[in-house]
Amino acid sequence: MANRFILLFALVIAAIVPAVAQQRIAVLPFRNMDHDIKYNTWSLELADSLYKAIAAVDPQQKDFVLVPPDSIEMAIAELNLDPTNPQYESDMWKAIRTLNVTKAVQGNFQLRGDRVLINCYIYDMSSMLADQTFQAKDLYKGTTTYLETIKPIVKRIYPGLK
């Protein structure tokens, strides 16, 4: 009887530990480096497309757990953050920390004539530093095809999310 209990206990622990040990990843809105509000919708479109593409690579989330976008929005809303406030960026990181995230993915975009320059980075939440190995930098697309950068971004950053 005692051996069965020990075996059952070991199986329960073995099932729980990997789930607890998994990285928690947040995909944040991309920063609009031009600060032209007519492009602010791109911030969320890029983040949403990136979230879906990452989730499609590991649908069962065996390698890590993606924090749902609505959880991120709620954390930001709880602190009543205003995106037009100059302090928004630092306050947003405070909100993300409340979600026990281990890594955050965030990018930025900037218009250069009729093209869009897109960069994407993985941030380690303990150090707040960007990973220098797994990043997607200097991706150019047209203003109507900027979402085509999502596939190359995932290819470059995915190994750093594990």
Side-chain angles (χ1 to χ4, degrees):
M1 180 74 167
N3 286 340
R4 283 188 196 174
F5 177 75
I6 291 171
L7 179 61
L8 180 61
F9 182 74
L11 289 173
V12 169
I13 295 300
I16 293 172
V17 170
V20 172
Q22 281 185 317
Q23 301 274 358
R24 287 182 48 85
I25 310 293
V27 178
L28 306 176
F30 279 51
R31 289 180 286 166
N32 176 356
M33 302 305 281
D34 284 329
H35 307 293
D36 185 339
I37 61 170
K38 72 180 178 183
Y39 298 108
N40 281 354
T41 57
W42 290 10
S43 295
L44 296 175
E45 287 174 359
L46 284 161
D48 186 50
S49 296
L50 183 57
Y51 176 89
K52 288 176 183 173
I54 292 170
V57 175
D58 183 11
Q60 277 72 42
Q61 297 189 16
K62 293 178 184 174
D63 291 329
F64 50 80
V65 174
L66 283 170
V67 176
D70 58 342
S71 295
I72 294 169
E73 290 172 21
M74 285 181 11
I76 291 170
E78 281 182 22
L79 293 179
N80 198 25
L81 302 183
D82 177 8
T84 61
N85 184 327
Q87 209 173 314
Y88 174 78
E89 190 73 22
S90 64
D91 289 344
M92 181 200 54
W93 290 105
K94 289 177 191 173
I96 299 310
R97 279 199 181 100
T98 66
L99 298 171
N100 297 318
V101 171
T102 52
K103 294 182 180 181
V105 177
Q106 186 181 47
N108 60 57
F109 64 90
Q110 184 176 21
L111 271 75
R112 301 255 173 113
D114 62 343
R115 297 182 59 169
V116 183
L117 169 65
I118 299 175
N119 299 300
C120 187
Y121 307 93
I122 299 171
Y123 292 90
D124 180 313
M125 293 302 292
S126 62
S127 66
M128 292 304 299
L129 296 175
D131 185 321
Q132 298 300 312
T133 306
F134 302 104
Q135 54 186 331
K137 289 180 65 174
D138 301 328
L139 301 172
Y140 282 94
K141 284 291 178 182
T143 56
T144 59
T145 59
Y146 63 93
L147 289 176
E148 290 177 9
T149 59
I150 297 301
K151 192 172 183 177
I153 288 172
V154 172
K155 185 176 181 180
R156 291 182 189 175
I157 69 166
Y158 189 84
L161 298 176
K162 298 179 187 181

